[in-house]
Amino acid sequence: MKEKSNDILNRIAHVQTTLQAINGKWKLPILVSMYAGKSRFRDIQRNIPQITTRVLSKELKDLEASKLIIRIVTDGHPVSVEYKLTTYSYTLTPVVDEMIKWGKQHSKGGL
Amino acid sequence: MKEKSNDILNRIAHVQTTLQAINGKWKLPILVSMYAGKSRFRDIQRNIPQITTRVLSKELKDLEASKLIIRIVTDGHPVSVEYKLTTYSYTLTPVVDEMIKWGKQHSKGGL
DNA sequence: CCGAATCCAATATGATACTG
DNA sequence: CAGTATCATATTGGATTCGG
């Protein structure tokens, strides 16, 4: 019946909402790095060596704009910058966990 | 300890594996449409009006290459083409379901 | 160390038209 | 209906350099 068809459209709209929040190749890897406690620019880059400073910089700004992280600057001599996860960002962990699980089972090595 | 650090790197690698399989804005919406039984080119396009034929065509080829769908041509007068989900594609449903759930809760309307 | 700035290449996406 | 062809734009990625 008609409900069915609307259901499909809603489900599609919902994935698209999620996709917009985590779009691109880097946001989730960055979040995973941060979930694990690594929240300095340099730390993240060490965890994701393929990313360049230019892209990392941009992605961090995007994540800040999406309210998923907050940028905290602490004055001092080399001026320390730290990125903190928001509570909002933790609502994504079920999604991220499922993706890690899937990736683990379907990478070349299996598990 | 050292295990911790390796754990992070593994988790990052696993999300990246998953991201590669579903990269772009369209693969998941297409799969969602197909999970619901809509498997003709035209049906998918009706469910996702924003996608153009050019992009849909390319994405379907990608999905075929990733073994997530199969293209089936049945001869006849207007020659019917149908895309079928592979059993492999169903391993993604936990990921997709979490994404639908998240999108539902965080779209403008809430739920 | 933490980025910003610049320049340029590669991909992704989009609009439109057209064919078997 | 199921695409392909062409062209244009947008987004992303990479390399390198520079400054606080």
Side-chain angles (χ1 to χ4, degrees):
Chain A
M1 35 177 79
K2 283 293 161 49
E3 333 285 20
K4 276 300 248 183
S5 151
N6 264 318
D7 239 41
I8 302 178
L9 298 183
N10 282 329
R11 289 165 66 81
I12 291 174
H14 294 325
V15 237
Q16 288 180 318
T17 297
T18 306
L19 285 170
Q20 281 172 29
I22 62 176
N23 68 76
K25 304 163 54 178
W26 305 112
K27 289 182 188 60
L28 287 184
I30 290 170
L31 288 179
V32 170
S33 175
M34 293 184 64
Y35 286 143
K38 291 306 187 180
S39 45
R40 312 282 303 275
F41 192 95
R42 196 75 170 81
D43 293 331
I44 298 171
Q45 219 186 357
R46 238 191 297 273
N47 281 337
I48 314 170
Q50 315 101 301
I51 201 171
T52 62
T53 64
R54 181 196 193 295
V55 176
L56 178 53
S57 179
K58 174 191 165 294
E59 296 291 309
L60 288 170
K61 278 177 191 165
D62 285 357
L63 288 169
E64 211 189 341
S66 315
K67 312 286 184 191
L68 289 170
I69 66 174
I70 301 177
R71 186 172 187 269
I72 297 174
V73 183
T74 309
D75 261 37
H77 282 252
V79 180
S80 110
V81 178
E82 202 177 347
Y83 295 90
K84 303 279 283 181
L85 293 163
T86 61
T87 59
Y88 181 50
S89 76
Y90 286 100
T91 63
L92 275 172
T93 56
V95 174
V96 173
D97 286 346
E98 284 299 338
M99 291 184 64
I100 291 174
K101 212 184 292 178
W102 193 91
K104 184 173 190 171
Q105 287 173 333
H106 299 92
S107 55
K108 311 125 286 309
L111 53 135
Chain B
M1 36 178 81
K2 283 293 160 50
E3 333 285 18
K4 277 300 247 182
S5 149
N6 264 319
D7 240 40
I8 302 178
L9 298 183
N10 282 330
R11 290 164 67 82
I12 291 173
H14 294 325
V15 238
Q16 288 181 318
T17 296
T18 307
L19 285 171
Q20 280 172 28
I22 63 176
N23 68 74
K25 304 163 54 177
W26 304 113
K27 288 182 187 64
L28 288 183
I30 291 170
L31 288 179
V32 170
S33 175
M34 293 183 64
Y35 286 143
K38 292 305 189 179
S39 47
R40 312 284 301 275
F41 193 95
R42 194 79 170 79
D43 294 329
I44 299 171
Q45 220 187 356
R46 238 191 297 272
N47 281 336
I48 314 172
Q50 316 101 299
I51 201 171
T52 61
T53 62
R54 180 197 192 295
V55 175
L56 178 53
S57 178
K58 175 192 165 292
E59 296 292 307
L60 287 170
K61 279 176 191 165
D62 285 357
L63 288 168
E64 211 189 340
S66 317
K67 312 287 184 190
L68 289 170
I69 65 174
I70 300 176
R71 184 174 187 270
I72 298 174
V73 183
T74 309
D75 261 37
H77 283 251
V79 179
S80 110
V81 178
E82 203 177 348
Y83 294 90
K84 304 279 283 181
L85 292 163
T86 60
T87 59
Y88 180 50
S89 76
Y90 286 101
T91 62
L92 275 173
T93 55
V95 174
V96 173
D97 285 346
E98 285 299 337
M99 290 185 66
I100 291 174
K101 214 184 291 178
W102 193 92
K104 185 172 188 171
Q105 288 174 333
H106 298 92
S107 54
K108 313 125 287 307
L111 50 137

